Amino acid sequence: CQMSSSMMTKQPCVSRSSLILIAWFTLSGGAVSGNSFKDYPQTLEFAYGQALDHYSAENWKESVTYLKLSLRLYRLMKESVAFCCNSCRHGGLDGDPGVGQSVDPGLRTFWHILLRASCVKRCKLRFPPFMFSPPRKEITDDFERRIPYQYLHFAYHELNETENAASAAHTYLQKNPNDTLMVERMEIYSSIPDLEDFLTNLEEKLYERSFLNAVLLLNSGDYSASAIHMEEALREYLHEHALCTVSCEGAVDVVRHEELYASLADACFEALRCKVKCEENLMPNVGGFFVEKFVATMYHYLQFAYYKLNDARSAVPCASSYMLFDPSDEVMKQNMQYYHTYRQQWGLQQRHFYPRPEAERYFNQTATHRRMLEYAEKYLQQHDEARTHASPECLSDVVWTSEGSSVEKSISPDVEFEGNGSYEEGIYAQWRQDPKSKWDSGEPED
């Protein structure tokens, strides 16, 4: 690694020996543009490898070209995987219906796997990225951690493109807020007049922008607009999470076994680990802090906004939904007790006290994923002797509600989330709930 005096920080290191370059065609000169694969006639590993080779040689212009190309290729690859996996999950599957209706559950399971695999393979034929072997895990891990933006930042800096360098640094810090060297660099950028107006999160999702707008509107007292934007953020996040989890059924690294079920179990284990990690990967960074209980946070804001709008019939289901994720929150317990006490004044019925359907689905899905992963880690990773004594009791904490949907027994998936709704402090929200206020124990507003 080299130390750049003008940079006042250490630039990222590149291990040239670690790169495996797989070329299809040679990238022609000039900038790369476009969004279809025909514009990118090489693999992700080749493009990323070229970017780091040029970076090591201090060919900053060429490095920027290949870094931007590799980011587009990675995005295209993820979108293609999500499209095929999602299409084959919800679309019709061709095949012999007689086999699919077999009384043998094992045959039905194998038939379903074969049909799904056939569908995905046919779908992938439409996307040139799948003409090659998938990139190695260490490559995709770099992109998940936004490491290319670290290189992109320094390359832009060396090219004296300050605005682009600042945006690349800002994008990198959204995933790596504890990188002290980059934080110091951002402080320098922040001291440059008018530069903050050009800061852009180049990987910002729709739900992140909607959430931020909703919080700012709530703090300004515009509760109606805040609720609209927060509902948008919730819908957009649930859509992104669904795509993330289904994408985990794409390529996985599996150790081959002579035993069929051991191989299948390893594939399921890797997919489960990916699904559980979706919450972490989609966690937004607002003001330098990760919103760790993001879905719960959105329901908290929604119940407050609806209350301020005197719409208890919308507020109570949001409060009940929040309780799924943090059943020990004392302030929310008091809020629920308040609504029960004054349910006639608010015109509430028993159905209003159930969580919202999408909240139950999300909670049950993520809780089941975690329980299944815990089971796999506990038993499938042990020696064969220990596995013979395993039993799936770890799934026994999912129960059925009065509406026919399953809910985990009083076990918060976020046990570290404690306190009276203080998670929004230090982000953007300025309001907090006081148990002695009208909000928690007083009369309905006129």
Side-chain angles (χ1 to χ4, degrees):
C1 292
Q2 303 175 358
M3 182 70 72
S4 172
S5 58
S6 63
M7 187 63 180
M8 295 181 291
T9 185
K10 199 174 186 180
Q11 61 171 302
C13 300
V14 178
S15 177
R16 294 167 64 88
S17 61
S18 67
L19 301 176
I20 299 178
L21 307 182
I22 307 173
W24 179 15
F25 294 127
T26 303
L27 179 68
S28 59
V32 177
S33 61
N35 292 310
S36 64
F37 191 80
K38 65 183 181 180
D39 298 304
Y40 317 131
Q42 57 277 301
T43 67
L44 173 61
E45 286 204 31
F46 173 74
Y48 192 45
Q50 287 290 297
L52 300 190
D53 278 348
H54 284 296
Y55 186 95
S56 296
E58 300 187 359
N59 299 325
W60 308 119
K61 210 169 187 183
E62 293 79 3
S63 181
V64 165
T65 297
Y66 276 100
L67 282 168
K68 291 170 66 177
L69 169 63
S70 64
L71 286 165
R72 289 171 179 161
L73 282 170
Y74 180 69
R75 193 175 299 117
L76 178 62
M77 182 190 72
K78 287 193 66 176
E79 291 173 353
S80 301
V81 169
F83 176 83
C84 286
C85 291
N86 193 53
S87 297
C88 291
R89 163 173 285 195
H90 298 292
L93 298 176
D94 298 329
D96 186 346
V99 179
Q101 297 173 4
S102 170
V103 295
D104 186 339
L107 284 178
R108 290 201 304 270
T109 299
F110 279 121
W111 186 243
H112 178 76
I113 292 173
L114 289 173
L115 289 181
R116 180 72 64 85
S118 174
C119 176
V120 171
K121 284 187 176 182
R122 290 199 307 270
C123 178
K124 285 184 175 181
L125 293 176
R126 301 162 54 186
F127 297 96
F130 299 119
M131 293 173 61
F132 309 97
S133 299
R136 291 170 294 131
K137 187 176 186 302
E138 53 265 36
I139 298 294
T140 57
D141 284 348
D142 269 10
F143 283 84
E144 286 297 323
R145 293 160 48 214
R146 299 191 183 178
I147 300 302
Y149 285 101
Q150 189 180 25
Y151 295 117
L152 198 57
H153 159 255
F154 190 85
Y156 275 133
H157 171 79
E158 291 298 308
L159 291 171
N160 292 319
E161 297 184 26
T162 305
E163 293 177 4
N164 288 330
S167 289
H170 178 64
T171 303
Y172 171 78
L173 282 173
Q174 300 307 299
K175 281 287 185 182
N176 306 275
N178 296 323
D179 188 319
T180 55
L181 294 177
M182 194 66 81
V183 169
E184 291 176 1
R185 188 60 198 169
M186 279 303 301
E187 291 175 354
I188 296 175
Y189 288 136
S190 299
S191 66
I192 301 176
D194 300 326
L195 185 61
E196 189 173 352
D197 296 336
F198 295 94
L199 287 181
T200 303
N201 179 3
L202 302 173
E203 296 287 343
E204 184 178 60
K205 302 289 187 181
L206 290 175
Y207 66 84
E208 294 178 278
R209 175 54 50 186
S210 297
F211 175 74
L212 179 57
N213 289 337
V215 175
L216 294 175
L217 286 165
L218 186 140
N219 289 336
S220 69
D222 191 345
Y223 302 112
S224 179
S226 175
I228 292 173
H229 282 276
M230 194 64 74
E231 292 284 8
E232 288 178 357
L234 182 60
R235 286 193 299 271
E236 291 159 356
Y237 173 83
L238 294 176
H239 176 71
E240 284 290 336
H241 185 269
L243 288 179
C244 179
T245 55
V246 76
S247 297
C248 292
E249 299 168 11
V252 294
D253 294 327
V254 179
V255 177
R256 293 185 179 274
H257 296 280
E258 294 182 0
E259 183 185 355
L260 171 64
Y261 285 101
S263 297
L264 290 175
D266 278 348
C268 291
F269 177 75
E270 290 300 319
L272 273 174
R273 189 156 54 182
C274 173
K275 289 172 183 286
V276 170
K277 201 172 178 61
C278 281
E279 284 187 286
E280 177 184 340
N281 290 338
L282 295 175
M283 191 187 307
N285 181 324
V286 183
F289 298 92
F290 284 118
V291 187
E292 295 184 352
K293 294 87 188 175
F294 187 50
V295 173
T297 302
M298 287 189 284
Y299 282 117
H300 201 318
Y301 277 111
L302 280 170
Q303 59 86 24
F304 182 76
Y306 284 130
Y307 169 81
K308 298 298 287 185
L309 293 168
N310 290 323
D311 185 1
R313 293 184 179 184
S314 296
V316 176
C318 292
S320 298
S321 299
Y322 174 86
M323 293 295 288
L324 286 175
F325 303 94
D326 191 9
S328 62
D329 187 284
E330 292 299 328
V331 169
M332 198 62 74
K333 285 181 180 179
Q334 294 178 29
N335 293 344
M336 292 299 292
Q337 182 59 46
Y338 163 77
Y339 283 122
H340 274 289
T341 302
Y342 295 99
R343 58 183 178 275
Q344 290 185 350
Q345 290 90 324
W346 286 109
L348 298 172
Q349 301 177 13
Q350 184 58 39
R351 61 185 175 84
H352 294 117
F353 289 88
Y354 292 122
R356 285 168 47 159
E358 80 281 355
E360 281 192 356
R361 285 193 298 270
Y362 178 83
F363 176 78
N364 287 319
Q365 181 191 55
T366 53
T368 302
H369 286 162
R370 282 192 295 272
R371 293 300 188 185
M372 292 177 69
L373 183 61
E374 288 172 7
Y375 174 81
E377 289 174 338
K378 185 176 182 180
Y379 296 109
L380 298 181
Q381 299 300 300
Q382 295 176 353
H383 296 296
D384 292 340
E385 296 82 6
R387 283 206 301 251
T388 59
H389 304 291
S391 62
E393 70 272 13
C394 61
L395 295 177
S396 63
D397 288 328
V398 177
V399 299
W400 294 94
T401 68
S402 59
E403 290 195 328
S405 56
S406 55
V407 178
E408 193 179 20
K409 286 182 186 176
S410 301
I411 299 178
S412 171
D414 301 303
V415 293
E416 78 282 2
F417 179 32
E418 299 176 351
N420 295 333
S422 61
Y423 51 79
E424 66 271 30
E425 293 180 4
I427 303 176
Y428 275 93
Q430 301 299 320
W431 60 274
R432 60 179 298 169
Q433 298 182 3
D434 186 344
K436 298 179 181 180
S437 68
K438 176 191 286 190
W439 157 226
D440 295 302
S441 59
E443 296 289 337
E445 291 184 352
D446 295 329

